[in-house]
Amino acid sequence: MQCHECGRDVAPDDRFCTGCGTSLRGVTDATEAVAATTAGEQRTELLEVVEDAAEPWDVVDPVWAPTAPVPQQPVSTSQLPATEPVTEVSSAARATAPASARQPYDFVGDEPTREGPATTATMPAVAGAPGARRRFRFGPVMMLALLTSVVALVSLFADVLSITSSARLTLGEETPVGFRTGRWIADDLADNLSIAGLIAIVCLVAGGMATAVGWRWGSGLAGGAGLALAGLGTLTLGLAQVPIDAAHEFAAIPSDLPFTLSITRDIGYWLLLVAAALGIVVFFASINDAGRDGRSGLNPWFAALGALAGLVAAGGPLVPVGRAEFSDNWYLSDDPGSPPSLLLAARLTQLGLLALASLIGFLSVRRGGLGVAA
């Protein structure tokens, strides 16, 4: 391209001639427009040729050009949001860090490395939640349960009563039916008292252990077993009064041979009394730990049916059989062979505790109540 005044060569983007200084306005602009038009026509022709020669994507797989690794650019902490923590870890620190400290996908240099399976954080255990680890806690119910169990176990196999005579006795027709000399343990007063006591002791220990690990039903089971031992101990003490009253009746019979009867309430007698008292204490102590267990209550219809069954079980022994009358359950008589007043009171106490445990256990509509009823 040349200047239209002096003929000197000029560039397309020059606005003035370098030789004469003449303005090149109109000369270079027209040349650029012509060049742009020519280039546009050539590009259109090239695109048309390429479109005609192209094939569908499902016929020809595209070949991707290799790419070079992208260099890491340092990021300024001032450009990040203020609400997110900023942690800068260099590539050298990642490379030298132990495998246990790396993330599941960590980068060393420009290549990603896999460092084992992804790990998840452990959620803290919530007390009472299913599957949570329970902590053993030696509470008052556990302590009282163990103490009561030891006392009751010794009382079942220790001597409850002993009756001795200073002279050799001769039994006659007037001798009371229940009189004899010797020693008595629980099973000598009534059959299977030791078996019933062992069952109550096992339930008491199991309930105490369950309470120590936080199971609500354990408190109910310990409290119900305490009531069972209280009723059983009271009944055994009432049964022990039968040979005592028989000895008193025999001593009142006139005899030509003087003698002395010694009636001794041995260690088992007093341990039964202590075990019965401790059983009541265990029951009241278990009420505080039973509480609400954080779960839905039981079906009220089944609870009402269980309470009714408990009342029937408690009232069944009061039904008279044969020539007996209903008033014999509490009527006191001075006739020979009549049951002592302590036995009648102890029997009614045991049946009352059975009815009370059934009502409280089932009508509470809780798992702890089922333990009491059991």
Side-chain angles (χ1 to χ4, degrees), residues 139-163:
V141 176
M142 178 65 181
M143 180 183 63
L144 289 173
L146 293 179
L147 178 60
T148 307
S149 299
V150 173
V151 174
L153 183 62
V154 175
S155 67
L156 291 176
F157 301 99
D159 291 338
V160 176
L161 179 69
S162 63
I163 300 178

Side-chain angles (χ1 to χ4, degrees), residues 66-262:
T67 59
V70 179
Q72 299 179 359
Q73 298 293 335
V75 180
S76 176
T77 57
S78 60
Q79 300 176 0
L80 297 177
T83 58
E84 297 182 1
V86 179
T87 304
E88 296 182 0
V89 181
S90 63
S91 300
R94 287 197 185 99
T96 57
S100 60
R102 299 179 185 174
Q103 296 296 328
Y105 287 98
D106 205 350
F107 287 85
V108 179
D110 296 327
E111 295 296 330
T113 59
R114 175 73 173 177
E115 294 294 345
T119 58
T120 56
T122 303
M123 298 297 294
V126 181
R133 179 178 297 177
R134 299 181 182 274
R135 184 178 179 182
F136 188 86
R137 181 177 60 88
F138 194 84
V141 176
M142 178 65 181
M143 180 183 63
L144 289 173
L146 293 179
L147 178 60
T148 307
S149 299
V150 173
V151 174
L153 183 62
V154 175
S155 67
L156 291 176
F157 301 99
D159 291 338
V160 176
L161 179 69
S162 63
I163 300 178
T164 60
S165 175
S166 61
R168 185 180 180 87
L169 300 178
T170 302
L171 303 181
E173 295 180 356
E174 298 179 355
T175 302
V177 178
F179 173 75
R180 72 178 180 87
T181 58
R183 295 180 180 273
W184 283 260
I185 63 173
D187 282 345
D188 295 331
L189 297 173
D191 294 337
N192 301 326
L193 282 179
S194 61
I195 297 178
L198 289 176
I199 294 175
I201 291 173
V202 170
C203 293
L204 182 59
V205 174
M209 296 293 292
T211 304
V213 297
W215 287 335
R216 297 290 185 180
W217 60 264
S219 298
L221 184 62
L227 291 180
L229 286 177
L232 187 65
T234 304
L235 182 64
T236 306
L237 295 179
L239 291 172
Q241 192 64 31
V242 174
I244 294 176
D245 287 354
H248 284 288
E249 292 177 6
F250 183 82
I253 299 175
S255 175
D256 298 334
L257 179 65
F259 64 91
T260 302
L261 288 178
S262 298

